[in-house]
């Protein structure tokens, strides 16, 4: 039986802005009073130098928009971004849109019906019998269950699958009059926009998907939330999240590697979702990683911020383009639940 392989990745990102420019030009006025000094420290210590935004607050302030207007704008911005990412992934894999048997779209920052899956399938010329799946509200870890579903389809059907993760967090800046707390400031300091597509095929060259696994601690379900409000979607992010991760991440990764007879020292690529500097520090400590173990994750945070679901795929792309390219990779991401997802990949030449 052929092993499912990621044969092509495609990335599309909107224009970028420097973190300092975003602070000086918008957020320094968005926050006021004692909140402003707290926000300034959080922005300065975010680990982010540059971020991308489809709707840049320096040019267009959406913070007072109602949710309906934000959702209409989501479709306007996400469709061309998704099309660009998918086109690049298909080209990298040497396939056409008509070859895809399953098209999966992950997004938690916008909704419409017909959705991105239908509109992109139409615009790109996918076959009428292409199956589709939309994964919403899984947040930052959605790429991994998406890869799991694509992998299962490829294994069962012997046909290629396509995953697209597209997030426009820039649409959800909260109004300055809204309740402001540290959690909200952190989300405004970290989040960014991106679309990344991955083509999964039966066998061949690329990163073979050996396993996707997960653990959920439902006792901490309130630690990470993403609520639909009349003024866009609002993030809730407890400062206790790193503590929960520290309880579960070592066991999850040790069990995953043990099932494949692999030791941590044999992993030369760690694609760990950069939920923020504290998250990366906790994972580095609990997994006893070498000093440069999370260099790709930190560089991605620095250059792109936290793009939610596309972020681990951005890191995987970076690891694959490094010299030498990472041979064995662990992907790790976290989100609502509180859920940890992990995957083991190895490079096939």
């Amino acid at each position: 039986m052929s092993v499912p392989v990621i044969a092509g990745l495609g990335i599309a990102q909107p224009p970028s802005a420097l973190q300092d420019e975003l602070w000086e030009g918008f957020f320094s006025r968005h926050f006021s009073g004692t909140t402003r000094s707290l926000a300034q420290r959080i922005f300065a210590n975010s680990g982010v130098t540059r971020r991308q935004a489809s709707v840049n607050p320096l040019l267009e302030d959406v913070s007072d928009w109602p949710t309906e207007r934000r959702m209409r704008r989501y479709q306007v911005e996400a469709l061309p971004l998704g099309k660009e990412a998918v086109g690049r992934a298909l080209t990298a894999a040497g396939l056409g849109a008509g070859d895809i048997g399953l098209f999966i779209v992950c997004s938690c920052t916008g909704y419409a019906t017909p959705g991105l899956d239908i509109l992109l399938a139409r615009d790109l010329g996918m076959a009428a019998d292409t199956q589709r799946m939309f994964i919403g509200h899984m947040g930052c870890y959605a790429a991994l269950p998406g890869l799991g579903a694509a992998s299962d389809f490829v294994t069962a059907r012997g046909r290629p699958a396509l995953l697209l993760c597209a997030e426009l967090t820039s649409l959800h800046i909260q109004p300055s009059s809204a309740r402001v707390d540290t959690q909200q400031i952190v989300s405004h300091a970290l989040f960014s926009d991106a679309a990344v597509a991955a083509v999964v095929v039966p066998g061949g060259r690329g990163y073979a998907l050996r396993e996707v696994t997960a653990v959920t601690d439902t006792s901490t379900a309130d630690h990470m939330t993403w609520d639909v409000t009349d003024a866009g979607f609002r993030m809730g992010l407890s400062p206790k999240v790193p503590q929960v991760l520290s309880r579960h991440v070592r066991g999850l990764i040790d069990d995953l590697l043990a099932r494949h007879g692999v030791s941590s020292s044999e992993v030369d690529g760690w694609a760990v979702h950069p939920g923020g500097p504290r998250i990366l520090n906790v994972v580095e400590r609990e997994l006893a990683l070498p000093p440069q173990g999370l260099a790709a994750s930190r560089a991605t945070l620095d250059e792109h911020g936290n793009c939610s679901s596309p972020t681990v795929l951005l890191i995987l792309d970076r690891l694959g383009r490094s010299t030498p390219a990472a041979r064995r990779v662990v992907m790790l991401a976290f989100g609502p639940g509180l859920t940890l997802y992990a995957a083991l990949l190895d490079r096939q030449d």
Side-chain angles (χ1 to χ4, degrees), residues 104-247:
I104 303 168
V105 176
C106 299
S107 186
C108 67
T109 50
Y111 295 101
T113 301
L116 288 182
D117 55 331
I118 295 174
L119 298 179
L120 286 171
R122 176 198 68 191
D123 292 352
L124 292 166
M126 293 185 188
D129 65 351
T130 300
Q131 297 182 39
R132 300 185 317 279
M133 177 184 298
F134 184 88
I135 299 175
H137 266 274
M138 278 190 157
C140 296
Y141 66 80
L144 293 179
L147 284 175
S151 174
D152 290 345
F153 177 88
V154 168
T155 300
R157 307 294 178 85
R159 294 186 63 192
L162 172 64
L163 168 68
L164 170 66
C165 295
E167 304 289 9
L168 303 184
T169 63
S170 63
L171 283 170
H172 298 290
I173 295 175
Q174 293 295 287
S176 58
S177 58
R179 174 178 56 87
V180 177
D181 54 29
T182 303
Q183 301 173 43
Q184 200 58 49
I185 297 170
V186 169
S187 68
H188 283 341
L190 288 174
F191 281 94
S192 184
D193 297 355
V196 182
V199 175
V200 183
V201 300
R205 299 178 61 183
Y207 279 109
L209 278 157
R210 297 300 178 185
E211 184 182 347
V212 176
T213 187
V215 62
T216 300
D217 185 345
T218 55
S219 69
T220 62
D222 62 342
H223 283 19
M224 194 177 294
T225 58
W226 188 230
D227 297 321
V228 179
T229 77
D230 292 337
F233 301 172
R234 183 179 177 88
M235 168 65 78
L237 190 63
S238 169
K240 297 179 182 178
V241 168
Q243 298 174 25
V244 179
L245 296 182
S246 69
R247 291 202 298 267

Side-chain angles (χ1 to χ4, degrees), residues 257-333:
L257 296 179
R259 286 193 292 271
H260 296 269
V262 175
S263 67
S264 179
S265 62
E266 294 175 292
V267 176
D268 60 346
W270 295 90
V272 178
H273 177 72
R278 286 184 63 204
I279 297 294
L280 293 178
N281 291 342
V282 165
V283 172
E284 184 178 65
R285 183 190 71 226
E286 295 299 326
L287 298 183
L289 297 181
Q292 291 300 308
L294 295 184
S297 293
R298 290 195 169 95
T300 299
L301 178 64
D302 177 68
E303 296 173 21
H304 306 293
N306 178 346
C307 307
S308 192
S309 64
T311 316
V312 288
L313 296 174
L314 287 173
I315 302 168
L316 178 65
D317 177 72
R318 182 182 292 269
L319 290 169
R321 289 186 292 105
S322 62
T323 304
R327 304 295 305 176
R328 181 173 283 118
V329 175
V330 168
M331 301 176 74
L332 184 60

